[in-house]
Amino acid sequence: MNKNFTTLMGLAKATMEQTYKDYYGGYQFVLANLIDGGTSVRYAEVQSKVMDIIKSNRQIADQLNEYYDSDASLANGLIEYITA
């Protein structure tokens, strides 16, 4: 796995852990429900948080341009790996 992707994934996971720490089942429950029929509103919320991480780490994210054509596709890739 690409080092830059791993870095962004770690930041995204830490953000999800912090954001959803008070939810029943924690971030794992929230993210699992995204994949298993979660609402598009919740997915947009999580994707927005991950995109904020990408924007605040633009230099790292730009190095992944050959793999992802947009911030949204990179965010979706990060969410997919975190939920795996």
Side-chain angles (χ1 to χ4, degrees):
M1 187 178 300
N2 183 298
K3 178 184 172 191
N4 295 316
F5 187 85
T6 304
T7 300
L8 289 175
M9 187 173 61
L11 292 169
K13 184 177 177 184
T15 298
M16 295 301 111
E17 287 173 344
Q18 184 63 34
T19 301
Y20 299 112
K21 68 180 180 188
D22 294 331
Y23 282 61
Y24 172 79
Y27 82 100
Q28 294 99 337
F29 179 77
V30 171
L31 295 178
N33 283 328
L34 291 178
I35 304 307
D36 296 331
T39 67
S40 59
V41 171
R42 178 57 55 91
Y43 193 89
E45 172 188 318
V46 170
Q47 185 186 46
S48 175
K49 290 179 185 310
V50 174
M51 287 181 68
D52 287 344
I53 293 163
I54 291 168
K55 290 174 185 172
S56 65
N57 293 280
R58 174 58 51 206
Q59 205 169 22
I60 294 171
D62 284 348
Q63 295 176 27
L64 296 168
N65 282 345
E66 66 184 275
Y67 306 107
Y68 297 95
D69 60 355
S70 68
D71 286 352
S73 66
L74 176 54
N76 292 339
L78 290 165
I79 292 167
E80 185 177 313
Y81 267 90
I82 292 168
T83 58

